[in-house]
Short mmCIF file of all heavy atoms in Angstrom, two decimals:
data_model
loop_
_atom_site.label_atom_id
_atom_site.label_comp_id
_atom_site.label_asym_id
_atom_site.label_seq_id
_atom_site.Cartn_x
_atom_site.Cartn_y
_atom_site.Cartn_z
N PHE I 83 40.84 18.77 48.08
CA PHE I 83 39.66 17.88 47.98
C PHE I 83 39.91 16.58 48.72
O PHE I 83 39.10 16.09 49.50
CB PHE I 83 39.37 17.62 46.50
CG PHE I 83 38.21 16.69 46.29
CD1 PHE I 83 36.91 17.12 46.52
CD2 PHE I 83 38.43 15.37 45.90
CE1 PHE I 83 35.85 16.26 46.35
CE2 PHE I 83 37.36 14.51 45.74
CZ PHE I 83 36.06 14.96 45.96
N SER I 84 41.12 16.00 48.47
CA SER I 84 41.36 14.66 49.04
C SER I 84 41.93 14.78 50.45
O SER I 84 42.42 13.79 50.99
CB SER I 84 42.35 13.93 48.15
OG SER I 84 43.57 14.69 48.17
N ALA I 85 41.91 15.96 51.05
CA ALA I 85 42.55 16.12 52.37
C ALA I 85 41.64 15.50 53.42
O ALA I 85 40.43 15.35 53.23
CB ALA I 85 42.75 17.59 52.69
N ASP I 86 42.25 15.14 54.53
CA ASP I 86 41.49 14.62 55.68
C ASP I 86 40.98 15.85 56.43
O ASP I 86 41.69 16.46 57.23
CB ASP I 86 42.48 13.79 56.52
CG ASP I 86 41.74 13.18 57.71
OD1 ASP I 86 40.67 13.71 58.06
OD2 ASP I 86 42.24 12.20 58.27
N LYS I 87 39.71 16.22 56.19
CA LYS I 87 39.21 17.55 56.58
C LYS I 87 39.41 17.82 58.07
O LYS I 87 39.93 18.85 58.47
CB LYS I 87 37.71 17.66 56.23
CG LYS I 87 37.38 17.40 54.78
CD LYS I 87 37.52 18.64 53.92
CE LYS I 87 37.05 18.39 52.48
NZ LYS I 87 37.93 17.37 51.80
N THR I 88 39.02 16.86 58.92
CA THR I 88 39.07 17.17 60.36
C THR I 88 40.51 17.40 60.80
O THR I 88 40.85 18.41 61.41
CB THR I 88 38.49 15.98 61.17
OG1 THR I 88 39.13 14.80 60.66
CG2 THR I 88 37.00 15.88 60.96
N LEU I 89 41.42 16.49 60.41
CA LEU I 89 42.83 16.67 60.83
C LEU I 89 43.36 18.00 60.29
O LEU I 89 44.02 18.77 60.99
CB LEU I 89 43.67 15.51 60.27
CG LEU I 89 43.72 14.23 61.11
CD1 LEU I 89 44.67 13.23 60.45
CD2 LEU I 89 44.21 14.55 62.51
N HIS I 90 43.00 18.27 59.01
CA HIS I 90 43.50 19.50 58.37
C HIS I 90 43.03 20.72 59.14
O HIS I 90 43.76 21.70 59.32
CB HIS I 90 42.96 19.53 56.93
CG HIS I 90 43.64 20.56 56.07
ND1 HIS I 90 43.11 21.80 55.86
CD2 HIS I 90 44.81 20.51 55.39
CE1 HIS I 90 43.91 22.48 55.05
NE2 HIS I 90 44.95 21.73 54.76
N PHE I 91 41.81 20.64 59.71
CA PHE I 91 41.27 21.79 60.45
C PHE I 91 41.89 21.87 61.84
O PHE I 91 42.23 22.94 62.33
CB PHE I 91 39.75 21.65 60.54
CG PHE I 91 39.11 22.74 61.37
CD1 PHE I 91 38.95 24.01 60.84
CD2 PHE I 91 38.74 22.49 62.69
CE1 PHE I 91 38.40 25.01 61.61
CE2 PHE I 91 38.19 23.50 63.45
CZ PHE I 91 38.01 24.76 62.92
N LEU I 92 42.10 20.69 62.45
CA LEU I 92 42.55 20.70 63.85
C LEU I 92 44.03 21.08 63.99
O LEU I 92 44.44 21.64 65.00
CB LEU I 92 42.33 19.30 64.47
CG LEU I 92 40.91 19.03 64.99
CD1 LEU I 92 40.85 17.63 65.57
CD2 LEU I 92 40.57 20.07 66.06
N ALA I 93 44.84 20.78 62.97
CA ALA I 93 46.31 20.91 63.13
C ALA I 93 46.71 22.28 63.67
O ALA I 93 47.40 22.35 64.70
CB ALA I 93 47.00 20.63 61.80
N PRO I 94 46.28 23.41 63.07
CA PRO I 94 46.76 24.69 63.63
C PRO I 94 46.31 24.90 65.07
O PRO I 94 47.08 25.44 65.88
CB PRO I 94 46.14 25.75 62.70
CG PRO I 94 45.26 25.05 61.76
CD PRO I 94 45.49 23.61 61.84
N LEU I 95 45.12 24.40 65.41
CA LEU I 95 44.66 24.60 66.81
C LEU I 95 45.55 23.81 67.76
O LEU I 95 46.03 24.34 68.76
CB LEU I 95 43.20 24.14 66.92
CG LEU I 95 42.20 24.93 66.07
CD1 LEU I 95 40.79 24.42 66.30
CD2 LEU I 95 42.30 26.42 66.43
N VAL I 96 45.82 22.53 67.37
CA VAL I 96 46.62 21.68 68.27
C VAL I 96 48.01 22.29 68.45
O VAL I 96 48.68 22.12 69.45
CB VAL I 96 46.71 20.25 67.68
CG1 VAL I 96 47.76 19.45 68.41
CG2 VAL I 96 45.34 19.59 67.75
N LEU I 97 48.45 23.07 67.44
CA LEU I 97 49.78 23.67 67.59
C LEU I 97 49.71 24.89 68.51
O LEU I 97 50.52 25.05 69.43
CB LEU I 97 50.30 24.12 66.21
CG LEU I 97 51.68 24.80 66.25
CD1 LEU I 97 52.75 23.75 66.46
CD2 LEU I 97 51.95 25.59 64.98
N THR I 98 48.70 25.75 68.32
CA THR I 98 48.72 27.07 68.99
C THR I 98 48.25 26.98 70.44
O THR I 98 48.88 27.57 71.33
CB THR I 98 47.78 28.01 68.21
OG1 THR I 98 48.03 27.81 66.83
CG2 THR I 98 48.07 29.45 68.57
N VAL I 99 47.20 26.22 70.71
CA VAL I 99 46.63 26.27 72.08
C VAL I 99 47.65 25.81 73.13
O VAL I 99 47.90 26.54 74.10
CB VAL I 99 45.33 25.41 72.11
CG1 VAL I 99 44.91 25.15 73.55
CG2 VAL I 99 44.25 26.11 71.32
N PRO I 100 48.35 24.66 72.96
CA PRO I 100 49.29 24.28 74.03
C PRO I 100 50.36 25.34 74.26
O PRO I 100 50.78 25.59 75.39
CB PRO I 100 49.92 22.98 73.51
CG PRO I 100 49.01 22.49 72.45
CD PRO I 100 48.34 23.67 71.87
N ILE I 101 50.78 26.01 73.15
CA ILE I 101 51.89 26.97 73.33
C ILE I 101 51.45 28.08 74.29
O ILE I 101 52.21 28.55 75.14
CB ILE I 101 52.28 27.57 71.97
CG1 ILE I 101 52.77 26.47 71.04
CG2 ILE I 101 53.35 28.62 72.12
CD1 ILE I 101 54.11 25.88 71.41
N TRP I 102 50.15 28.50 74.18
CA TRP I 102 49.69 29.55 75.13
C TRP I 102 49.85 29.06 76.56
O TRP I 102 50.24 29.82 77.46
CB TRP I 102 48.22 29.89 74.86
CG TRP I 102 48.00 30.83 73.70
CD1 TRP I 102 47.32 30.55 72.57
CD2 TRP I 102 48.44 32.19 73.59
NE1 TRP I 102 47.31 31.66 71.75
CE2 TRP I 102 47.99 32.66 72.35
CE3 TRP I 102 49.19 33.03 74.44
CZ2 TRP I 102 48.27 33.96 71.92
CZ3 TRP I 102 49.45 34.32 74.00
CH2 TRP I 102 49.00 34.78 72.75
N LEU I 103 49.58 27.74 76.74
CA LEU I 103 49.65 27.24 78.13
C LEU I 103 51.08 27.37 78.67
O LEU I 103 51.30 27.61 79.85
CB LEU I 103 49.22 25.76 78.17
CG LEU I 103 47.83 25.43 77.61
CD1 LEU I 103 47.52 23.95 77.83
CD2 LEU I 103 46.78 26.29 78.31
N ALA I 104 52.06 27.24 77.75
CA ALA I 104 53.45 27.21 78.24
C ALA I 104 53.81 28.53 78.91
O ALA I 104 54.69 28.60 79.76
CB ALA I 104 54.40 26.95 77.08
N PHE I 105 53.07 29.63 78.56
CA PHE I 105 53.45 30.92 79.15
C PHE I 105 53.01 31.02 80.60
O PHE I 105 53.37 31.97 81.30
CB PHE I 105 52.80 32.07 78.35
CG PHE I 105 53.45 32.29 77.03
CD1 PHE I 105 52.94 31.69 75.89
CD2 PHE I 105 54.60 33.05 76.93
CE1 PHE I 105 53.55 31.86 74.68
CE2 PHE I 105 55.23 33.22 75.70
CZ PHE I 105 54.70 32.64 74.57
N ALA I 106 52.22 30.02 81.05
CA ALA I 106 51.67 30.16 82.40
C ALA I 106 52.79 30.14 83.43
O ALA I 106 52.71 30.80 84.46
CB ALA I 106 50.69 29.02 82.66
N VAL I 107 53.85 29.40 83.16
CA VAL I 107 54.82 29.19 84.25
C VAL I 107 55.97 30.19 84.20
O VAL I 107 56.76 30.28 85.13
CB VAL I 107 55.42 27.76 84.17
CG1 VAL I 107 54.42 26.75 84.64
CG2 VAL I 107 55.89 27.45 82.76
N LEU I 108 56.08 30.97 83.09
CA LEU I 108 57.27 31.83 82.97
C LEU I 108 57.17 33.03 83.93
O LEU I 108 56.13 33.70 83.93
CB LEU I 108 57.38 32.34 81.53
CG LEU I 108 57.82 31.29 80.50
CD1 LEU I 108 57.85 31.89 79.11
CD2 LEU I 108 59.21 30.78 80.86
N PRO I 109 58.20 33.28 84.74
CA PRO I 109 58.17 34.46 85.64
C PRO I 109 58.60 35.71 84.88
O PRO I 109 59.78 35.84 84.50
CB PRO I 109 59.19 34.11 86.72
CG PRO I 109 60.14 33.18 86.05
CD PRO I 109 59.44 32.52 84.91
N PHE I 110 57.67 36.62 84.56
CA PHE I 110 58.02 37.80 83.77
C PHE I 110 58.58 38.91 84.65
O PHE I 110 59.25 39.81 84.17
CB PHE I 110 56.78 38.32 83.02
CG PHE I 110 56.13 37.26 82.18
CD1 PHE I 110 54.86 36.80 82.49
CD2 PHE I 110 56.81 36.69 81.12
CE1 PHE I 110 54.28 35.80 81.74
CE2 PHE I 110 56.23 35.68 80.37
CZ PHE I 110 54.95 35.24 80.69
N GLY I 111 58.31 38.89 85.93
CA GLY I 111 58.80 39.97 86.80
C GLY I 111 58.74 39.48 88.24
O GLY I 111 58.37 38.34 88.50
N ARG I 112 59.10 40.39 89.19
CA ARG I 112 59.04 39.98 90.60
C ARG I 112 57.61 39.56 90.92
O ARG I 112 56.67 40.29 90.63
CB ARG I 112 59.48 41.17 91.48
CG ARG I 112 59.75 40.78 92.91
CD ARG I 112 60.51 41.89 93.66
NE ARG I 112 61.93 41.98 93.25
CZ ARG I 112 62.42 43.01 92.54
NH1 ARG I 112 61.62 43.98 92.13
NH2 ARG I 112 63.69 43.05 92.21
N ASN I 113 57.43 38.36 91.37
CA ASN I 113 56.14 37.66 91.63
C ASN I 113 55.09 38.02 90.57
O ASN I 113 53.98 38.41 90.85
CB ASN I 113 55.63 37.92 93.05
CG ASN I 113 55.56 39.41 93.40
OD1 ASN I 113 54.98 40.19 92.65
ND2 ASN I 113 56.22 39.78 94.47
N MET I 114 55.53 37.96 89.27
CA MET I 114 54.58 38.17 88.15
C MET I 114 54.54 36.90 87.31
O MET I 114 54.67 36.93 86.08
CB MET I 114 55.07 39.32 87.25
CG MET I 114 54.69 40.71 87.73
SD MET I 114 55.51 41.93 86.71
CE MET I 114 54.67 41.66 85.15
N SER I 115 54.40 35.74 87.92
CA SER I 115 54.25 34.56 87.06
C SER I 115 52.84 34.01 87.32
O SER I 115 52.38 33.99 88.47
CB SER I 115 55.28 33.52 87.46
OG SER I 115 54.91 32.96 88.71
N ALA I 116 52.17 33.64 86.25
CA ALA I 116 50.74 33.30 86.36
C ALA I 116 50.54 32.22 87.40
O ALA I 116 49.77 32.38 88.34
CB ALA I 116 50.24 32.83 85.00
N ILE I 117 51.24 31.10 87.26
CA ILE I 117 51.06 30.01 88.23
C ILE I 117 52.45 29.70 88.79
O ILE I 117 53.41 29.57 88.01
CB ILE I 117 50.49 28.75 87.55
CG1 ILE I 117 49.23 29.11 86.74
CG2 ILE I 117 50.21 27.64 88.53
CD1 ILE I 117 48.83 28.01 85.79
N ASP I 118 52.53 29.54 90.06
CA ASP I 118 53.84 29.24 90.65
C ASP I 118 53.91 27.73 90.88
O ASP I 118 53.72 27.26 92.00
CB ASP I 118 54.00 30.01 91.96
CG ASP I 118 55.42 29.79 92.50
OD1 ASP I 118 56.19 29.09 91.77
OD2 ASP I 118 55.74 30.24 93.60
N LEU I 119 54.11 26.98 89.79
CA LEU I 119 54.19 25.50 89.93
C LEU I 119 55.53 25.14 90.54
O LEU I 119 56.54 25.77 90.20
CB LEU I 119 54.09 24.85 88.55
CG LEU I 119 52.69 24.68 87.97
CD1 LEU I 119 52.79 24.05 86.59
CD2 LEU I 119 51.86 23.80 88.90
N ASP I 120 55.56 24.14 91.37
CA ASP I 120 56.88 23.74 91.90
C ASP I 120 57.57 22.81 90.90
O ASP I 120 58.73 22.51 91.04
CB ASP I 120 56.73 23.09 93.28
CG ASP I 120 55.70 21.98 93.23
OD1 ASP I 120 55.27 21.67 92.07
OD2 ASP I 120 55.31 21.46 94.27
N ALA I 121 56.87 22.37 89.82
CA ALA I 121 57.58 21.58 88.79
C ALA I 121 57.37 22.30 87.46
O ALA I 121 56.93 21.73 86.47
CB ALA I 121 57.03 20.17 88.74
N GLY I 122 57.69 23.60 87.45
CA GLY I 122 57.40 24.45 86.29
C GLY I 122 58.05 23.95 85.02
O GLY I 122 57.41 23.84 83.96
N ILE I 123 59.33 23.56 85.11
CA ILE I 123 60.06 23.17 83.89
C ILE I 123 59.45 21.91 83.30
O ILE I 123 59.25 21.80 82.07
CB ILE I 123 61.55 22.96 84.23
CG1 ILE I 123 62.21 24.33 84.38
CG2 ILE I 123 62.22 22.12 83.18
CD1 ILE I 123 63.70 24.29 84.34
#
Side-chain angles (χ1 to χ4, degrees):
Chain I
F83 178 72
S84 62
D86 182 339
K87 304 274 186 296
T88 49
L89 275 184
H90 193 264
F91 176 77
L92 277 180
L95 297 182
V96 168
L97 179 75
T98 316
V99 166
I101 298 290
W102 280 117
L103 303 185
F105 286 94
V107 285
L108 287 178
F110 305 114
R112 192 166 287 110
N113 52 51
M114 277 172 67
S115 72
I117 309 166
D118 185 3
L119 278 179
D120 51 9
I123 283 196

